[in-house]
Amino acid sequence: TARLRPANFPSVRLAQLAALLHAHSSIFQQILLIENLKSAKAFFRQPVHTYWEKHLDFNKPSDFSTQLGTSSIANLIINSIVPILAAYAKYIGEVSYLEKAESLLGSLPFEQNSITKKWNALGITGKDAATSQALIQQFNLYCKRRKCLQCPVGLSIINQSAT
Protein backbone atom coordinates (compact mmCIF):
# COMPACT_ATOMS: atom_id res chain seq x y z
CA THR A 1 0.00 0.00 0.00
CA ALA A 2 3.03 2.32 0.08
CA ARG A 3 2.54 3.48 -3.52
CA LEU A 4 -1.22 3.91 -3.30
CA ARG A 5 -2.91 7.10 -2.30
CA PRO A 6 -4.49 6.63 1.12
CA ALA A 7 -8.05 6.75 -0.24
CA ASN A 8 -7.21 3.82 -2.53
CA PHE A 9 -5.89 1.47 0.15
CA PRO A 10 -7.55 -1.95 -0.22
CA SER A 11 -8.68 -1.82 3.41
CA VAL A 12 -10.44 1.53 2.80
CA ARG A 13 -12.07 0.28 -0.40
CA LEU A 14 -13.30 -2.83 1.43
CA ALA A 15 -14.74 -0.66 4.22
CA GLN A 16 -16.52 1.49 1.61
CA LEU A 17 -17.90 -1.61 -0.12
CA ALA A 18 -19.08 -2.98 3.23
CA ALA A 19 -20.85 0.31 3.95
CA LEU A 20 -22.54 0.18 0.53
CA LEU A 21 -23.64 -3.44 1.01
CA HIS A 22 -24.88 -2.66 4.51
CA ALA A 23 -26.90 0.34 3.30
CA HIS A 24 -28.51 -1.40 0.32
CA SER A 25 -30.00 -4.83 0.88
CA SER A 26 -30.69 -5.24 -2.84
CA ILE A 27 -28.10 -3.25 -4.77
CA PHE A 28 -29.48 -4.09 -8.20
CA GLN A 29 -32.98 -2.93 -7.26
CA GLN A 30 -31.54 0.25 -5.74
CA ILE A 31 -29.62 0.96 -8.95
CA LEU A 32 -32.82 0.62 -10.96
CA LEU A 33 -34.46 3.21 -8.69
CA ILE A 34 -31.79 5.83 -9.40
CA GLU A 35 -33.51 8.72 -11.15
CA ASN A 36 -30.84 11.40 -11.56
CA LEU A 37 -27.31 12.43 -10.66
CA LYS A 38 -28.31 13.49 -7.16
CA SER A 39 -29.77 10.06 -6.34
CA ALA A 40 -26.80 8.31 -7.97
CA LYS A 41 -24.38 10.27 -5.77
CA ALA A 42 -26.50 9.56 -2.69
CA PHE A 43 -26.35 5.84 -3.53
CA PHE A 44 -22.56 5.90 -3.04
CA ARG A 45 -22.41 8.35 -0.11
CA GLN A 46 -22.68 5.81 2.67
CA PRO A 47 -20.90 6.37 5.97
CA VAL A 48 -18.21 3.83 6.76
CA HIS A 49 -18.05 2.12 10.15
CA THR A 50 -16.74 4.45 12.86
CA TYR A 51 -13.49 2.45 13.05
CA TRP A 52 -12.66 3.53 9.48
CA GLU A 53 -13.29 7.17 10.26
CA LYS A 54 -9.97 7.15 12.14
CA HIS A 55 -8.04 4.43 10.28
CA LEU A 56 -6.72 3.87 6.76
CA ASP A 57 -5.46 0.38 7.47
CA PHE A 58 -5.90 -2.15 10.22
CA ASN A 59 -4.46 -0.91 13.53
CA LYS A 60 -2.99 2.23 11.89
CA PRO A 61 -4.77 5.37 13.11
CA SER A 62 -5.11 8.25 10.67
CA ASP A 63 -7.05 11.49 10.25
CA PHE A 64 -7.46 11.03 6.48
CA SER A 65 -11.06 10.92 5.22
CA THR A 66 -12.27 7.51 4.14
CA GLN A 67 -15.40 8.78 2.39
CA LEU A 68 -15.59 8.46 -1.37
CA GLY A 69 -14.62 11.69 -3.12
CA THR A 70 -16.52 13.44 -5.89
CA SER A 71 -14.32 12.12 -8.71
CA SER A 72 -14.44 8.57 -7.32
CA ILE A 73 -18.22 8.70 -7.23
CA ALA A 74 -18.32 10.07 -10.79
CA ASN A 75 -16.07 7.21 -11.95
CA LEU A 76 -18.29 4.67 -10.20
CA ILE A 77 -21.39 6.10 -11.84
CA ILE A 78 -19.75 6.13 -15.28
CA ASN A 79 -18.21 2.67 -14.99
CA SER A 80 -20.84 0.77 -13.01
CA ILE A 81 -24.26 2.44 -12.78
CA VAL A 82 -24.45 3.58 -16.42
CA PRO A 83 -23.42 0.20 -17.92
CA ILE A 84 -25.80 -1.69 -15.61
CA LEU A 85 -28.73 0.55 -16.56
CA ALA A 86 -27.86 0.31 -20.27
CA ALA A 87 -27.45 -3.47 -20.21
CA TYR A 88 -30.70 -3.92 -18.28
CA ALA A 89 -32.51 -1.65 -20.75
CA LYS A 90 -31.32 -3.83 -23.61
CA TYR A 91 -32.09 -7.06 -21.75
CA ILE A 92 -35.71 -6.20 -20.96
CA GLY A 93 -36.30 -3.90 -23.93
CA GLU A 94 -37.20 -0.91 -21.74
CA VAL A 95 -35.81 2.36 -23.11
CA SER A 96 -36.41 4.33 -19.90
CA TYR A 97 -33.35 2.74 -18.24
CA LEU A 98 -31.20 3.65 -21.23
CA GLU A 99 -32.51 7.21 -21.01
CA LYS A 100 -31.50 7.31 -17.32
CA ALA A 101 -28.01 6.10 -18.24
CA GLU A 102 -27.68 8.73 -20.97
CA SER A 103 -28.96 11.43 -18.64
CA LEU A 104 -26.39 10.48 -15.99
CA LEU A 105 -23.56 10.67 -18.52
CA GLY A 106 -24.86 14.00 -19.77
CA SER A 107 -24.94 15.45 -16.25
CA LEU A 108 -21.40 14.43 -15.27
CA PRO A 109 -18.38 16.53 -16.25
CA PHE A 110 -16.03 15.63 -19.09
CA GLU A 111 -13.46 13.11 -17.84
CA GLN A 112 -9.80 13.99 -17.69
CA ASN A 113 -7.63 10.94 -18.27
CA SER A 114 -4.76 9.84 -20.50
CA ILE A 115 -7.06 9.10 -23.44
CA THR A 116 -9.13 12.30 -23.31
CA LYS A 117 -5.89 14.32 -22.96
CA LYS A 118 -4.79 12.90 -26.32
CA TRP A 119 -8.05 14.12 -27.87
CA ASN A 120 -7.62 17.50 -26.19
CA ALA A 121 -4.15 17.78 -27.77
CA LEU A 122 -5.88 17.42 -31.16
CA GLY A 123 -8.27 20.21 -30.24
CA ILE A 124 -11.18 17.86 -29.59
CA THR A 125 -12.90 18.51 -26.27
CA GLY A 126 -16.31 18.04 -24.75
CA LYS A 127 -18.62 19.25 -22.05
CA ASP A 128 -19.81 16.05 -20.40
CA ALA A 129 -19.02 12.42 -19.61
CA ALA A 130 -21.11 11.25 -22.57
CA THR A 131 -18.62 12.94 -24.88
CA SER A 132 -15.57 11.67 -23.02
CA GLN A 133 -16.97 8.12 -23.08
CA ALA A 134 -17.56 8.44 -26.83
CA LEU A 135 -13.98 9.63 -27.35
CA ILE A 136 -12.62 6.77 -25.22
CA GLN A 137 -14.66 4.29 -27.28
CA GLN A 138 -13.43 5.89 -30.50
CA PHE A 139 -9.83 5.58 -29.25
CA ASN A 140 -10.29 1.92 -28.28
CA LEU A 141 -11.98 0.95 -31.57
CA TYR A 142 -9.73 2.82 -33.96
CA CYS A 143 -6.64 4.54 -32.51
CA LYS A 144 -5.50 1.70 -30.29
CA ARG A 145 -5.92 -0.76 -33.17
CA ARG A 146 -4.27 1.61 -35.66
CA LYS A 147 -7.33 1.62 -37.91
CA CYS A 148 -6.99 5.26 -38.92
CA LEU A 149 -8.21 4.58 -42.47
CA GLN A 150 -11.50 3.17 -41.17
CA CYS A 151 -11.99 5.98 -38.64
CA PRO A 152 -13.96 9.10 -39.59
CA VAL A 153 -11.79 11.26 -37.30
CA GLY A 154 -8.55 9.71 -38.54
CA LEU A 155 -9.57 10.18 -42.18
CA SER A 156 -10.44 13.81 -41.46
CA ILE A 157 -7.02 14.43 -39.91
CA ILE A 158 -5.25 12.65 -42.80
CA ASN A 159 -7.24 14.64 -45.37
CA GLN A 160 -6.42 17.93 -43.61
CA SER A 161 -2.73 17.03 -43.58
CA ALA A 162 -2.78 16.17 -47.28
CA THR A 163 -4.14 19.57 -48.32
Side-chain angles (χ1 to χ4, degrees):
T1 57
R3 293 183 181 206
L4 293 175
R5 292 185 176 140
N8 293 328
F9 284 7
S11 52
V12 172
R13 291 296 187 212
L14 285 171
Q16 292 165 340
L17 177 61
L20 187 67
L21 292 171
H22 180 71
H24 304 295
S25 59
S26 176
I27 286 185
F28 183 71
Q29 288 301 320
Q30 293 296 315
I31 289 171
L32 296 181
L33 295 174
I34 290 173
E35 290 296 324
N36 52 39
L37 184 56
K38 184 179 179 180
S39 62
K41 286 180 177 180
F43 176 81
F44 288 109
R45 291 209 188 275
Q46 302 303 323
V48 295
H49 187 275
T50 55
Y51 177 85
W52 293 105
E53 291 174 4
K54 298 290 181 192
H55 293 80
L56 285 175
D57 209 347
F58 298 100
N59 298 322
K60 294 182 183 175
S62 174
D63 290 333
F64 194 89
S65 174
T66 54
Q67 294 302 313
L68 283 170
T70 304
S71 63
S72 293
I73 290 175
N75 282 330
L76 286 167
I77 293 168
I78 291 167
N79 296 305
S80 62
I81 302 298
V82 167
I84 288 169
L85 290 173
Y88 189 65
K90 185 174 182 179
Y91 179 72
I92 66 168
E94 177 57 53
V95 73
S96 66
Y97 294 107
L98 186 57
E99 290 169 348
K100 280 187 202 183
E102 290 173 349
S103 175
L104 286 170
L105 283 178
S107 59
L108 287 165
F110 186 84
E111 297 170 88
Q112 293 298 325
N113 58 44
S114 61
I115 295 172
T116 59
K117 286 177 185 173
K118 290 176 185 181
W119 287 108
N120 291 341
L122 293 171
I124 301 169
T125 61
K127 62 177 174 49
D128 58 29
T131 305
S132 57
Q133 284 294 294
L135 292 174
I136 291 167
Q137 181 70 357
Q138 187 81 6
F139 176 84
N140 288 331
L141 289 177
Y142 296 102
C143 304
K144 199 174 189 180
R145 297 176 182 179
R146 299 177 189 248
K147 294 188 175 227
C148 303
L149 297 177
Q150 289 90 29
C151 171
V153 177
L155 283 174
S156 172
I157 292 170
I158 290 170
N159 288 336
Q160 285 177 358
S161 298
T163 57

